[in-house]
Amino acid sequence: MDPAGASVANAIGGSEGEKFAKGNIYSVKLITGDEFRGIVMAYDPIPNFVGSKPRPGHSKNTRMVNASFITGLSYLGKTEEPLLTDSCWVNLDGLRAKEALAVRQAEADAERMGVGVTAEAQSIFDALSKTLPVQWEKSDILVMKEVRVRSPYLSDCVFGGTDAANNRVKKVLELERRRLQLFGT
Amino acid sequence: MSLLAPDLYSILRDPSFLRVIGVDVVIQMVDLGFEAGMNMQPGLPSKASTNGSPYIRGGEREGVLNKAKSIKSHPANAASNGEAGSLKGDSRDGLVYLTTCKIGHLVEVHLKNGSVYSGIFHAADVEKDFGIILKMASLIKDGGLRGHKARSEFVRKPPSKTFIIPADELVQVIAKDLSISSDGMSNAVQSEKSGELLTDSSISKSFHTDQGRELKPWIPDGDVPQGLDNVFDDPWKRGRGWDQFKVNESLFGVKSTFDEEIYTTKLDRGIRTREMEERAQRIAREIEGENTRDLHVAEERGFQLNEKFDIDEESKYSAVLPADAFDDSGFDEEDDELLDTCNDETFGGSSTSTVQKPVSSSGKGYGELRDASQPSRNNTNVDQMCSISDDHAQHLPSEQRSKDFTAPGSSISESQMGERRNKNNPEFSHSNRSAEESVSGHGDSKEGAKLGGGGTSAWKTVAEKERQVSEVSGKPKSESFTGQSASRRSSESRPGPSTSSRPGLSPSSSIGSLSSSEKSTLNPNAKEFKLNPNAKSFKPTAAARPQSPMADASFYYPAAPAPVQQMPGMPLGYGIQPQYPGQQQMIYYPGHQHPQAFYPPNAQPQFPQQQQQMMMGRQPRPQMVYMPPPPYQPDNPYNQGRE
């Protein structure tokens, strides 16, 4: 069938049978330039989505592909059906918990990401956060809630805090910068 | 998408505009008419949730209500049920299953414009065209108008809380490391394991191991000797079937010199084996069926010893038990009798036969000790007492029940004292033992030592107490003591001031009890305390005593340190403790006569005298006041109770 939308060039072998039948192995090329191989696990023509899993031996990346965007398709073979829908079941509670957990972790990570800061700034922040409690404040790094490191995050951009804290932050900043230069990010 | 309000939908339709909606959108799911094979979690409530919304339900024919704030909820669409017909059910099912597995997983979403977003898969519109919603999505690769920027210049943006991607833009969704198996359990289990509670094994696990690999039974290749399949089935019956030594010898020529009988007792399997076996079994059963009070033994035997189940593992297995940790009230009565008999034996039974019931649960082995402190004690039986305490520091004096302890009618103070002692560390007896040996002839002191609390300071007190007690009894033992002790003891019988004569006791308890009542409980035959001027002075070590909380300083000398006055024959060497009506008392011993004997034989005798003197108007004391601390139980909660 010809899905509406983007044109799909279907290079399908003749002996294939139903397109995107379960168990078919395809090498797929996408409109984005992505290429991969996979075994068809599921296919639904209405939304025109194909779920595929890579061939055994490759990394386990399960994909859901919008077939509308497949630019190239070559049939590679057929294996047995990888998914037995009859015996499939999902633990929704577990999934929910998993998602909640992932969201929590992502939020925690987001805290550590600076908004509108350069990657260099972010790497400095990350390096500092290994040993000091740091948080973002706009584009300043706030260390121990006292010492502020302003852009461009050099040693002379350290303000505030007690003398001891200030010096400590300066020192750590210097060392981290040196380390970053040596080893890259 | 039919779910969203039309205006919103149109905005989303705009391919170049992906708006972040700050509101959590719950995709309403319509029952897709699953086959029975698709077993979803049963009984899923159709609640609106912002995470992991139950967007797949099995068996129910109503839609999930959508409580999103700005989105009009779409009522259940019964009509759409028919769409999920059996024709497309299979393929739809597969896709839906795959999609479900992705929930909560970090996915990468490729868009038509080349942008790549990474976020947590939240929901997908399974009914229509598979638009998806990501949570905490962040742009990884910007395929937008600006083209591909160098990563280093890429200015980060905060991740979007909720990110809706219409299907038109969606090219593919990649879930990395997602194990799609028929068993949905693995998904959840994995996530749980990698949850916030990281176990050691999960932390240290190599990332390359297969978590959900399929296990196959091991099939041996040819070299394995046969007949081993059932070797471990029944180790006793078939033990003869496999002789490792024989096999070793045959295979490797290793001669073994193993003789089982070196390691175990050879059983006499003779004619009367069966008889003996049965007898042994019977005895074993009897023993195991015995009533036991010990918590651990009971647990091994499977008895529920303690009906109170609020005893946690720590107190059961690892905490240091105070003497009456568990409710063994049943033993109190036994203990009392024991104590009485023990006391009698120790003290020659001359004491009054008043049985002193322990006020509180006596605990193990200390009940007898407590009562042993009664005035009527026999010096000669001190050794027995010693042995008792030694052996039964921790155990009930069950074996010693033969001993006849009477509980002489001691004052309540004594029982209280005993109680306090009961709470003491069992180790106290051990420490006291050494002291006992060094102090020959001071049997009472030994007992007192046993009776006192843990710690040297404690048993000093006790020794003191003992002396007092013995004096009261007027036993020959008192002779062995320096006269002071006797006099001291007698002072106990005096009203009022006598309270101070029991410095080793819990002051409050002893005083209160003494003053309140029972002079009658004191031994009327007690010998009056006579100061022995020739008594050796006590020279404790110079080390300051450990501070122990004084229960009630008021019972001690509240006065300022009295001047030290030399008594003839009494060496001046006692430091007076800085006596303050505080909770701490420092015992300072300027000298120490016996390294092991901590009690000042001379100081105590002075004690009551001085106390009396103080009470009577602060006459100059002949000696420094020795204020022994109460039994050393700084942290004992039971002490406080008494105070």
Side-chain angles (χ1 to χ4, degrees):
Chain A
M1 55 187 233
D2 237 346
S7 62
V8 177
N10 289 331
I12 301 177
S15 61
E16 182 208 332
E18 186 188 323
K19 180 176 160 212
F20 289 136
K22 272 197 245 191
N24 284 0
I25 308 176
Y26 290 108
S27 169
V28 180
K29 194 146 131 194
L30 291 178
I31 196 174
T32 57
D34 227 354
E35 288 190 41
F36 62 93
R37 287 181 190 187
I39 305 175
V40 173
M41 296 183 75
Y43 171 67
D44 196 333
I46 301 282
N48 208 13
F49 264 71
V50 181
S52 79
K53 86 170 183 187
R55 302 189 48 191
H58 294 240
S59 63
K60 277 178 143 198
N61 286 353
T62 315
R63 296 170 189 258
M64 280 206 339
V65 183
N66 188 344
S68 320
F69 297 117
I70 296 182
T71 53
L73 189 72
S74 59
Y75 176 74
L76 295 179
K78 192 168 178 70
T79 72
E80 76 282 354
E81 278 198 21
L83 202 65
L84 299 168
T85 47
D86 281 352
S87 58
C88 284
W89 64 280
V90 201
N91 183 359
L92 265 175
D93 284 337
L95 289 176
R96 244 183 257 137
K98 174 179 166 188
E99 176 173 357
L101 178 67
V103 169
R104 271 202 293 273
Q105 283 179 342
E107 279 170 5
D109 286 340
E111 290 282 315
R112 292 200 283 271
M113 294 288 163
V115 177
V117 294
T118 59
E120 186 207 21
Q122 184 62 48
S123 60
I124 291 180
F125 182 91
D126 292 337
L128 284 179
S129 74
K130 283 183 195 162
T131 50
L132 295 166
V134 284
Q135 59 194 89
W136 279 109
E137 193 173 312
K138 298 288 165 67
S139 70
D140 297 342
I141 302 178
L142 197 62
V143 184
M144 292 187 288
K145 294 202 167 66
E146 284 183 341
V147 184
R148 190 181 298 270
V149 187
R150 302 227 172 92
S151 163
Y153 314 104
L154 297 170
S155 302
D156 50 357
C157 309
V158 182
F159 304 103
T162 62
D163 260 353
N166 200 312
N167 290 335
R168 179 173 165 200
V169 173
K170 275 198 181 116
K171 193 149 197 118
V172 175
L173 183 63
E174 272 174 36
L175 293 175
E176 289 299 345
R177 273 191 168 269
R178 220 176 294 158
R179 199 176 58 82
L180 287 174
Q181 277 166 12
L182 278 179
F183 301 115
T185 315
Chain B
M1 292 198 255
S2 55
L3 301 172
L4 306 177
D7 45 337
L8 208 51
Y9 184 57
S10 59
I11 293 176
L12 290 176
R13 284 291 270 168
D14 191 348
S16 63
F17 190 86
L18 290 173
R19 156 167 300 170
V20 174
I21 298 191
V23 157
D24 281 339
V25 174
V26 174
I27 299 269
Q28 175 178 15
M29 288 309 300
V30 173
D31 180 17
L32 298 174
F34 286 155
E35 322 289 347
M38 197 86 155
N39 291 324
M40 299 303 173
Q41 287 288 304
L44 255 153
S46 55
K47 58 180 175 169
S49 55
T50 55
N51 58 345
S53 61
Y55 81 73
I56 292 188
R57 273 169 308 115
E60 287 157 295
R61 300 238 143 216
E62 49 177 3
V64 177
L65 286 189
N66 187 340
K67 296 265 187 338
K69 291 173 206 165
S70 62
I71 311 283
K72 252 201 296 199
S73 64
H74 193 83
N77 222 344
S80 53
N81 283 347
E83 196 173 10
S86 49
L87 248 186
K88 310 193 175 78
D90 264 348
S91 48
R92 171 67 56 84
D93 284 357
L95 222 48
V96 170
Y97 172 73
L98 283 183
T99 312
T100 317
C101 287
K102 290 205 177 85
I103 291 183
H105 206 82
L106 188 72
V107 296
E108 232 180 58
V109 179
H110 295 244
L111 296 181
K112 194 160 88 168
N113 58 6
S115 313
V116 180
Y117 282 88
S118 165
I120 300 170
F121 194 88
H122 174 67
D125 181 5
V126 184
E127 182 208 346
K128 278 289 198 157
D129 55 358
F130 263 86
I132 65 171
I133 297 185
L134 296 182
K135 281 207 166 187
M136 307 301 288
S138 50
L139 192 64
I140 295 183
K141 197 166 102 172
D142 192 357
L145 308 164
R146 284 169 294 175
H148 293 273
K149 266 189 153 182
R151 199 70 200 272
S152 56
E153 298 163 23
F154 182 60
V155 176
R156 293 195 193 219
K157 288 191 297 193
S160 329
K161 268 235 148 95
T162 312
F163 199 66
I164 302 184
I165 301 175
D168 287 9
E169 319 296 326
L170 180 61
V171 173
Q172 63 169 340
V173 178
I174 307 180
K176 297 216 161 92
D177 292 330
L178 190 68
S179 74
I180 307 284
S181 56
S182 311
D183 186 1
M185 200 50 170
S186 62
N187 299 335
V189 166
Q190 276 174 35
S191 57
E192 274 168 35
K193 267 202 196 148
S194 61
E196 287 150 339
L197 208 64
L198 287 174
T199 62
D200 277 351
S201 45
S202 69
I203 292 175
S204 58
K205 176 161 51 171
S206 156
F207 282 103
H208 302 297
T209 57
D210 237 335
Q211 275 182 340
R213 67 174 180 174
E214 192 189 309
L215 302 174
K216 293 193 202 112
W218 170 72
I219 300 164
D221 43 346
D223 324 356
V224 175
Q226 305 304 320
L228 287 182
D229 284 337
N230 298 323
V231 165
F232 298 113
D233 280 348
D234 192 345
W236 297 119
K237 290 236 173 77
R238 303 232 185 191
R240 314 289 156 88
W242 165 258
D243 189 348
Q244 58 180 347
F245 303 113
K246 284 212 187 64
V247 172
N248 232 4
E249 194 166 335
S250 68
L251 280 181
F252 306 110
V254 176
K255 279 207 179 354
S256 155
T257 57
F258 174 75
D259 180 16
E260 184 189 61
E261 287 164 27
I262 304 176
Y263 302 99
T264 183
T265 310
K266 186 168 175 55
L267 283 181
D268 289 328
R269 290 186 183 272
I271 304 170
R272 303 176 53 202
T273 297
R274 182 157 196 86
E275 239 179 76
M276 296 194 317
E277 257 180 46
E278 278 171 13
R279 187 166 148 270
Q281 287 276 24
R282 186 174 43 85
I283 297 177
R285 248 181 284 122
E286 275 175 31
I287 294 179
E288 283 173 3
E290 258 175 17
N291 258 347
T292 174
R293 273 276 155 183
D294 189 295
L295 199 76
H296 302 95
V297 178
E299 190 161 332
E300 268 189 14
R301 295 183 188 166
F303 294 161
Q304 284 286 4
L305 182 58
N306 234 303
E307 292 76 29
K308 306 187 279 183
F309 291 124
D310 54 349
I311 295 179
D312 60 354
E313 282 177 339
E314 193 215 339
S315 48
K316 265 198 279 183
Y317 303 121
S318 78
V320 173
L321 301 177
D324 60 344
F326 299 115
D327 179 25
D328 47 358
S329 52
F331 271 123
D332 282 352
E333 297 77 45
E334 300 177 43
D335 277 348
D336 291 345
E337 295 151 19
L338 261 194
L339 293 177
D340 296 346
T341 53
C342 283
N343 279 340
D344 267 351
E345 201 167 335
T346 303
F347 303 122
S350 64
S351 59
T352 63
S353 52
T354 323
V355 173
Q356 191 71 21
K357 288 263 176 217
V359 172
S360 69
S361 56
S362 48
K364 324 199 174 193
Y366 290 111
E368 54 167 351
L369 299 178
R370 168 204 333 159
D371 281 10
S373 70
Q374 306 309 325
S376 60
R377 263 176 314 190
N378 201 330
N379 214 5
T380 61
N381 288 337
V382 163
D383 291 326
Q384 287 167 327
M385 269 297 294
C386 294
S387 59
I388 292 172
S389 68
D390 295 346
D391 298 341
H392 300 282
Q394 305 251 4
H395 307 295
L396 294 163
S398 45
E399 291 81 322
Q400 307 284 339
R401 288 181 199 225
S402 54
K403 302 231 169 187
D404 239 11
F405 276 149
T406 34
S410 72
S411 57
I412 294 179
S413 67
E414 281 179 311
S415 64
Q416 285 171 336
M417 164 174 76
E419 284 164 15
R420 296 188 79 224
R421 278 181 257 131
N422 286 342
K423 313 301 189 290
N424 297 337
N425 261 335
E427 290 81 83
F428 178 76
S429 61
H430 300 296
S431 61
N432 290 328
R433 244 201 303 164
S434 53
E436 295 154 19
E437 270 111 45
S438 62
V439 184
S440 53
H442 291 275
D444 264 354
S445 64
K446 289 189 226 169
E447 291 168 2
K450 286 178 242 158
L451 295 172
T456 52
S457 62
W459 68 264
K460 231 177 311 183
T461 336
V462 182
E464 205 194 330
K465 267 184 291 190
E466 297 319 311
R467 238 157 282 115
Q468 301 170 14
V469 176
S470 62
E471 287 140 35
V472 171
S473 63
K475 285 301 170 172
K477 176 156 71 155
S478 59
E479 318 295 3
S480 62
F481 277 35
T482 61
Q484 295 94 358
S485 43
S487 58
R488 217 155 109 249
R489 182 55 175 168
S490 58
S491 67
E492 276 180 340
S493 38
R494 282 178 234 183
S498 60
T499 63
S500 53
S501 70
R502 299 186 130 256
L505 305 178
S506 155
S508 51
S509 57
S510 54
I511 289 161
S513 55
L514 275 174
S515 50
S516 58
S517 64
E518 275 99 23
K519 310 309 176 282
S520 56
T521 59
L522 294 180
N523 194 329
N525 301 329
K527 205 168 171 186
E528 181 123 344
F529 170 64
K530 294 220 172 47
L531 180 66
N532 178 7
N534 300 325
K536 282 196 284 184
S537 69
F538 172 57
K539 282 199 175 57
T541 51
R545 310 304 320 169
Q547 298 200 4
S548 30
M550 298 310 247
D552 195 341
S554 60
F555 293 111
Y556 284 74
Y557 306 107
V564 179
Q565 293 194 11
Q566 188 78 13
M567 192 155 174
M570 300 297 291
L572 177 70
Y574 296 91
I576 203 167
Q577 300 79 27
Q579 296 167 19
Y580 38 87
Q583 289 299 319
Q584 302 287 335
Q585 284 279 353
M586 284 284 290
I587 309 302
Y588 173 60
Y589 300 114
H592 196 207
Q593 209 172 7
H594 309 276
Q596 291 145 325
F598 269 68
Y599 60 91
N602 308 312
Q604 283 116 12
Q606 315 299 325
F607 211 40
Q609 263 188 351
Q610 292 155 17
Q611 299 237 13
Q612 297 149 35
Q613 289 162 6
M614 275 182 71
M615 298 295 177
M616 291 190 263
R618 308 290 170 89
Q619 291 171 16
R621 293 177 222 185
Q623 204 186 13
M624 297 298 267
V625 174
Y626 159 57
M627 175 94 57
Y632 180 69
Q633 295 157 19
D635 301 326
N636 197 314
Y638 305 97
N639 274 343
Q640 294 147 15
R642 200 150 309 114
E643 287 132 18

